[in-house]
């Protein structure tokens, strides 16, 4: 039984660990070691994760399988959004799930939590950015009603990559 719980600053080390490990699992084989190391050391440092968890415009949820944290969701509203800082939008910045739990509906449960949160906040539009080479994630989002609307550059270390921006109505 997978349970989704809101995360707090007390979950810093859990969020940091899941972020580092799932990012490596997902992207290590298609990126240089130096770019991966630079990104992980910056984006998943203790200070950075603490800053994100303390931001009142970011919301984190952890997926639990019994006592084991197996993934997390990060949502951004207002000025915490990475782009399109519109009051009537909410951003899914991360849905990270360990590969060992792929195909077990964990990502789907986290996505449903994102939709529920958007509905509770009365936000009509949900959006995200996904690497153009992450076919698995793109397929997941399309299956869940997202459509492409733009692109932007995502910097991974020294490598500039293209993210596809996708959105859907919440209702």
């Amino acid at each position: 039984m997978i349970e989704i719980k809101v995360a707090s600053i007390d979950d810093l080390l859990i969020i940091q660990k899941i972020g580092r490990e799932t990012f490596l699992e997902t992207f290590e084989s298609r990126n240089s070691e130096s770019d991966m190391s630079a990104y992980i050391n910056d984006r998943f440092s203790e200070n950075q994760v603490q800053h994100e968890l303390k931001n009142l415009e970011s919301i984190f949820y952890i997926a639990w399988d019994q006592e084991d944290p197996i993934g997390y969701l990060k949502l951004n509203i207002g000025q915490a959004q990475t782009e399109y800082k519109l009051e009537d939008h909410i951003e899914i910045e991360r849905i990270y799930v360990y590969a060992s739990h792929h195909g077990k509906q964990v990502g789907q449960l986290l996505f449903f939590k994102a939709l529920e949160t958007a509905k509770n906040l009365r936000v009509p539009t949900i959006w995200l950015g996904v690497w153009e080479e992450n076919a698995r994630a793109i397929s997941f989002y399309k299956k869940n009603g997202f459509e492409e609307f733009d692109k932007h550059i995502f910097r991974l270390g020294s490598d500039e990559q293209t993210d596809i921006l996708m959105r859907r109505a919440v209702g």
Side-chain angles (χ1 to χ4, degrees):
M1 182 75 179
I2 305 301
E3 192 173 5
I4 309 296
K5 296 181 182 176
V6 69
S8 72
I9 193 68
D10 295 334
D11 298 307
L12 186 149
L13 295 178
I14 293 169
I15 296 292
Q16 182 185 36
K17 182 178 189 295
I18 294 170
R20 286 174 176 261
E21 292 175 355
T22 58
F23 197 85
L24 276 170
E25 280 181 341
T26 305
F27 303 113
E28 182 175 41
S29 66
R30 295 181 282 175
N31 292 283
S32 76
E33 186 177 331
S34 62
D35 285 337
M36 290 293 292
S37 180
Y39 183 82
I40 286 172
N41 289 337
D42 177 51
R43 298 302 302 170
F44 299 109
S45 71
E46 190 170 325
N47 285 341
Q48 179 62 32
V49 175
Q50 181 180 51
H51 174 75
E52 292 178 17
L53 282 164
K54 286 183 173 181
N55 187 333
L56 298 178
E57 293 186 310
S58 293
I59 307 161
F60 286 80
Y61 296 96
I62 299 175
W64 295 86
D65 184 357
Q66 309 287 322
E67 302 295 317
D68 298 321
I70 55 170
Y72 79 87
L73 165 68
K74 180 185 181 202
L75 301 172
N76 296 315
I77 58 173
Q79 294 303 304
Q81 294 175 84
T82 57
E83 287 191 36
Y84 301 98
K85 296 173 178 19
L86 302 172
E87 292 303 315
D88 63 344
H89 286 57
I90 188 168
E91 175 190 19
I92 296 175
E93 185 176 349
R94 300 183 193 127
I95 294 182
Y96 285 179
V97 176
Y98 282 117
S100 61
H101 284 74
H102 286 179
K104 297 181 180 179
Q105 301 298 307
V106 179
Q108 193 67 54
L109 291 171
L110 289 168
F111 171 69
F112 288 152
K113 182 55 80 173
L115 277 180
E116 176 187 312
T117 302
K119 286 177 185 175
N120 289 342
L121 293 172
R122 293 186 172 88
V123 177
T125 306
I126 194 164
W127 74 276
L128 56 90
V130 58
W131 187 27
E132 66 183 352
E133 293 186 30
N134 191 345
R136 177 184 177 86
I138 292 168
S139 175
F140 172 82
Y141 293 122
K142 284 184 177 180
K143 179 186 83 170
N144 281 288
F146 283 83
E147 296 178 351
E148 297 176 24
F149 72 95
D150 203 351
K151 293 182 179 187
H152 75 172
I153 297 300
F154 176 85
R155 182 171 286 285
L156 182 78
S158 64
D159 188 22
E160 287 189 354
Q161 301 178 351
T162 302
D163 272 3
I164 297 169
L165 301 182
M166 303 178 82
R167 68 179 166 209
R168 66 160 276 177
V170 171

